[in-house]
Amino acid sequence: MALVKVAKKADISPGTGKTVVANGKEIALFNIGGNFYALSNKCVHKGGPLGEGELDNSTVTCPWHGWEYDVKTGQCLTMPVSVETYPVKVEEEDVMVEV
Ligand code: FES
C-alpha cells in the first residue's frame, strides 16, 4: 500500500466527484462537505465510471445504467454487491489515496 497524491482539494468542489488514477488504478474520488472519499471507479454492473456519476449527499449514481452506491462504504444500493474503498488523507491542499 502506498499513499499517492491524486488531486488538489480545490480540484473537486463539495458535492462533486472526479475520476483519478493512482498506481494504475482508476479511482472515483468524491467531496462530501469537505470530506473526501475514494472507491473503485468501476461499477460492478458493467464497469461504468462512477467518478463521472451524479452525487446526491453520499449516493452516487452510475452514469451508464443508474445503479446507486454509497460512496462512504462502497456498498451498492441497487444490488447486494459492493466496490472497493480506499483510505483518503488530506495534507494541506493535497488529497492522497492509499492504494
Ligand atoms: S455499468 Fe453501472 S449501472 Fe451499468
Side-chain angles (χ1 to χ4, degrees):
M1 297 281 260
L3 211 49
V4 180
K5 181 186 157 191
V6 290
K8 293 270 188 201
K9 266 166 55 178
D11 294 343
I12 306 169
S13 312
T16 68
K18 179 180 177 173
T19 301
V20 298
V21 177
N23 272 358
K25 280 188 186 171
E26 280 198 4
I27 291 170
L29 185 65
F30 296 96
N31 179 342
I32 300 174
N35 295 314
F36 289 84
Y37 299 89
L39 58 156
S40 167
N41 193 47
K42 267 195 180 171
C43 176
V44 177
H45 181 216
K46 293 195 173 175
L50 298 180
E52 292 172 26
E54 189 143 327
L55 187 64
D56 180 15
N57 292 316
S58 64
T59 302
V60 66
T61 303
C62 177
W64 285 7
H65 316 98
W67 284 23
E68 294 181 331
Y69 293 84
D70 183 329
V71 306
K72 292 183 177 178
T73 62
Q75 185 65 49
C76 181
L77 307 173
T78 310
M79 291 285 170
V81 293
S82 61
V83 292
E84 193 172 357
T85 58
Y86 304 94
V88 177
K89 195 169 179 198
V90 176
E91 264 182 19
E92 299 187 356
E93 292 309 307
D94 296 333
V95 182
M96 292 171 289
V97 176
E98 197 170 314
V99 287

